[in-house]
Amino acid sequence: MALALDRIRVGSAPDSWGVWFPDDPQQVPWVRFLDEVAEAGYSWIELGPYGYLPTDPARLTDEVTKRNLKVSAGTIFCGLHRGPSEWDSTWEQVSNVAALTQAMNAEHLVVIPSFWRDDKTAEILEPPELTTEQWRNLTTGMERLGREVKDRYGLDIVVHPHADTHIDTEEHVEQFLDSTDSDVVNLCLDTGHYAYCGGDSVKLIETYGERIGYLHLKQVDPDILADVVKNEIPFGPAVQRGVMCEPPAGVPELGPVLTAAQKLGVDLFAIVEQDMYPCEPDKPLPIAVRTRKFLRSCGA
């Protein structure tokens, strides 16, 4: 019998409906997303790209409440490795997202480092490795962000290692964690992105458990990933090839990941995110239903 995962709160996100942008003709309308995520059996959602869901707190509260949904987190992207000159533009974005996240009674802000390679055009924007000074900018900037977001909005930031960003591989993730203060910066472990970049999620949870503040659940197709790595394919085109696949078809196995997370003895969100941009409008719901059923079979 599967271990009862009573500390794990399962949800889903606009990402699992092929939503990457606030407004895009290839994406399903937000009303359909909310209807279908509730129909699939989830009770928690993320905000997704700021502006996709209504940004008026009263209206959004009404829309999620009538579907018995609650919000777990908002998301921002930032390039704090570039130094203090990035702060003002970062904070402008953060303040909008954090205010809405706070108004929805959520407690987390997922922070994704900026891409070094464009996820649509594959253009190389910056070197994939940071200099010593850039690492210092990144870590001190994230600590400042963590303090300010906590002080002003009462939210905890969780930094999301992500393909084609500077926090991606096991080496980079451990360097980031070892260089930051656990009181103000913790991790959103995305199981798919970490596997995509060669990392072992169970090992990370067992080694840095006190730093795991949030989970994104996804899997990668190992055969497609091997081709992606061999041919240095950027993340966006890799997603279009189906590198992020429906569980339990890929890696890592989610049962052991969830069991390791449960053993930490803290309440954790585990938000399903299957990158599928762009996708046919009728594709996400059946996958979401099957994924919810699969996670129940794991005890979640």
Side-chain angles (χ1 to χ4, degrees):
M1 183 177 171
L3 177 70
L5 303 176
D6 59 357
R7 305 303 295 265
I8 308 296
R9 292 171 285 184
V10 172
S12 193
D15 184 57
S16 295
W17 268 255
V19 175
W20 277 13
F21 304 100
D23 185 34
D24 187 296
Q26 297 188 86
Q27 297 175 171
V28 298
W30 63 268
V31 171
R32 180 170 180 176
F33 160 67
L34 290 179
D35 287 344
E36 292 188 351
V37 74
E39 183 182 340
Y42 295 98
S43 53
W44 293 93
I45 61 165
E46 290 184 1
L47 294 176
Y50 182 76
Y52 174 65
L53 294 175
T55 55
D56 173 64
R59 183 175 185 206
L60 184 55
T61 298
D62 179 58
E63 294 288 351
V64 299
T65 301
K66 70 187 184 185
R67 295 173 175 86
N68 294 314
L69 297 170
K70 291 170 284 191
V71 174
S72 61
T75 303
I76 64 120
F77 287 82
C78 65
L80 294 173
H81 66 284
R82 300 186 193 111
S85 62
E86 283 287 304
W87 180 261
D88 288 346
S89 60
T90 299
W91 189 255
E92 184 179 359
Q93 178 198 175
V94 167
S95 57
N96 287 328
V97 178
L100 182 59
T101 304
Q102 179 191 44
M104 300 309 296
N105 296 314
E107 297 176 357
H108 295 89
L109 186 68
V110 177
V111 180
I112 302 176
S114 57
F115 288 72
W116 56 260
R117 176 165 57 183
D118 189 282
D119 61 333
K120 274 192 166 180
T121 68
E123 178 191 357
I124 303 294
L125 306 172
E126 298 179 69
E129 291 287 336
L130 295 177
T131 65
T132 301
E133 181 184 10
Q134 288 174 322
W135 264 111
R136 190 164 53 248
N137 289 337
L138 176 64
T139 56
T140 58
M142 286 293 191
E143 288 177 337
R144 180 183 177 189
L145 187 65
R147 282 191 296 270
E148 302 240 0
V149 166
K150 187 70 171 178
D151 289 348
R152 299 195 195 189
Y153 298 100
L155 306 176
D156 294 320
I157 71 163
V158 282
V159 177
H160 182 322
H162 196 292
D164 288 0
T165 76
H166 295 109
I167 307 178
D168 50 2
T169 61
E170 179 179 331
E171 179 186 4
H172 286 161
V173 169
E174 291 186 355
Q175 182 178 352
F176 178 75
L177 291 174
D178 290 343
S179 306
T180 49
D181 182 350
S182 61
D183 287 341
V184 289
V185 178
N186 284 302
L187 210 66
C188 169
L189 170 58
D190 184 304
T191 59
H193 279 279
Y194 202 51
Y196 185 105
C197 298
D200 180 330
S201 288
V202 171
K203 178 185 171 188
L204 186 67
I205 293 169
E206 291 177 345
T207 308
Y208 285 90
E210 75 284 354
R211 303 299 298 275
I212 307 298
Y214 199 92
L215 295 172
H216 278 171
L217 301 180
K218 63 165 71 91
Q219 288 189 324
V220 293
D221 180 313
D223 295 331
I224 296 175
L225 179 63
D227 184 59
V228 164
V229 172
K230 178 183 175 184
N231 294 297
E232 298 183 358
I233 296 167
F235 180 66
V239 167
Q240 293 180 24
R241 292 183 182 211
V243 71
M244 298 298 182
C245 62
E246 178 182 345
V251 296
E253 280 189 75
L254 294 180
V257 171
L258 291 166
T259 298
Q262 169 72 20
K263 288 178 179 177
L264 296 176
V266 296
D267 292 333
L268 281 174
F269 282 107
I271 304 299
V272 177
E273 272 204 335
Q274 185 182 342
D275 293 315
M276 291 197 294
Y277 177 85
C279 70
E280 293 299 318
D282 293 336
K283 186 178 177 183
L285 178 58
I287 292 175
V289 170
R290 290 191 297 267
T291 301
R292 188 68 195 95
K293 182 179 179 182
F294 165 71
L295 292 173
R296 285 195 180 98
S297 77
C298 296

